[in-house]
Amino acid sequence: RFIYSNLTGGTVDDYHAGKAVAADISGEDPAGSPISMYDIKGNYKIVYIYSTGCSLCTPITEELIKLHKSCKRSGMDGIEFVAINIGHNRDEWVKYTVGNNMEWHNIHAGEGADKIHEKYYMEILPSIYLLDNNNRVIKRNIDISDLKKTLKI
């Protein structure tokens, strides 16, 4: 039986049954303060893993910004957006988050960025994961339309 040791600590069956717990990711926020994904509380977490230098990430970032604003306008509390940058240039990342008005939880993984690929078995950038309030994986590598459908947005 294949073990998803890093992402879930369980088996493939656990993953498909919604029992897989996402690994914590920590780093710095744009102000330089420590931040951990597990410290962010909400009924759901939309975890967006990207890099500022990724050309495929830019349109997804724009779509997520629109979705985030729509959720806030609609009063949809309990959905937390967490953007995790795995690029190595911190100054470029800060400029990117400010320039794009990414008004959600932003984490720069810094030195831990290389391990995120292992922890999350990422196939491509960007990657979006939907987690429940206990950090269990509801969906991985989800696209925006499926995300909206799943959350009934």
Side-chain angles (χ1 to χ4, degrees), residues 9 68 85 88 109 111:
H68 179 256
N85 180 274
H88 294 287
E111 297 299 318

Side-chain angles (χ1 to χ4, degrees), residues 10 14 23 31-32 34 43-44 52-53 57 62-63 65 83 109-110 124 126 133 141 144 149 151:
D14 288 341
N43 295 330
Y44 297 99
T52 54
C57 298
E62 292 168 359
E63 286 186 62
I65 290 168
I124 190 168
N133 62 336
N141 296 326
I144 303 285
K149 185 188 297 183
L151 293 174

Side-chain angles (χ1 to χ4, degrees), residues 116-133:
I116 292 173
H117 282 284
E118 296 170 25
K119 288 181 178 183
Y120 279 78
Y121 300 100
M122 291 171 31
E123 299 164 4
I124 190 168
L125 277 181
S127 290
I128 301 173
Y129 293 78
L130 178 62
L131 310 180
D132 71 7
N133 62 336

Side-chain angles (χ1 to χ4, degrees), residues 7-153:
L7 174 62
T8 69
T11 66
V12 172
D13 292 337
D14 288 341
Y15 173 77
H16 291 294
K19 296 178 187 175
V21 177
D24 192 15
I25 297 173
S26 59
E28 292 183 344
D29 69 13
S33 300
I35 184 172
S36 165
M37 187 178 77
Y38 277 11
D39 291 339
I40 299 164
K41 305 299 180 202
N43 295 330
Y44 297 99
K45 288 182 199 172
I46 298 169
V47 178
Y48 173 51
I49 303 173
Y50 74 103
S51 175
T52 54
C54 165
S55 63
L56 296 174
C57 298
T58 303
I60 302 301
T61 300
E62 292 168 359
E63 286 186 62
L64 281 172
I65 290 168
K66 289 176 189 172
L67 181 62
H68 179 256
K69 287 179 180 177
S70 174
C71 287
K72 293 299 177 191
R73 275 194 308 270
S74 301
M76 295 186 75
D77 296 328
I79 300 175
E80 296 296 330
F81 288 66
V82 183
I84 300 164
N85 180 274
I86 61 172
H88 294 287
N89 187 325
R90 188 180 189 293
D91 292 336
E92 181 180 292
W93 166 72
V94 170
K95 186 185 286 186
Y96 187 86
T97 59
V98 171
N100 284 296
N101 295 315
M102 296 170 71
E103 298 173 352
W104 51 46
H105 304 281
N106 290 289
I107 300 175
H108 184 259
E111 297 299 318
D114 295 332
K115 294 182 180 171
I116 292 173
H117 282 284
E118 296 170 25
K119 288 181 178 183
Y120 279 78
Y121 300 100
M122 291 171 31
E123 299 164 4
I124 190 168
L125 277 181
S127 290
I128 301 173
Y129 293 78
L130 178 62
L131 310 180
D132 71 7
N133 62 336
N134 292 309
N135 296 301
R136 286 188 304 257
V137 178
I138 297 171
K139 295 213 175 187
R140 69 187 275 266
N141 296 326
I142 187 172
D143 65 31
I144 303 285
S145 62
D146 195 19
L147 183 62
K148 288 178 180 179
K149 185 188 297 183
T150 302
L151 293 174
K152 297 178 173 81
I153 296 174

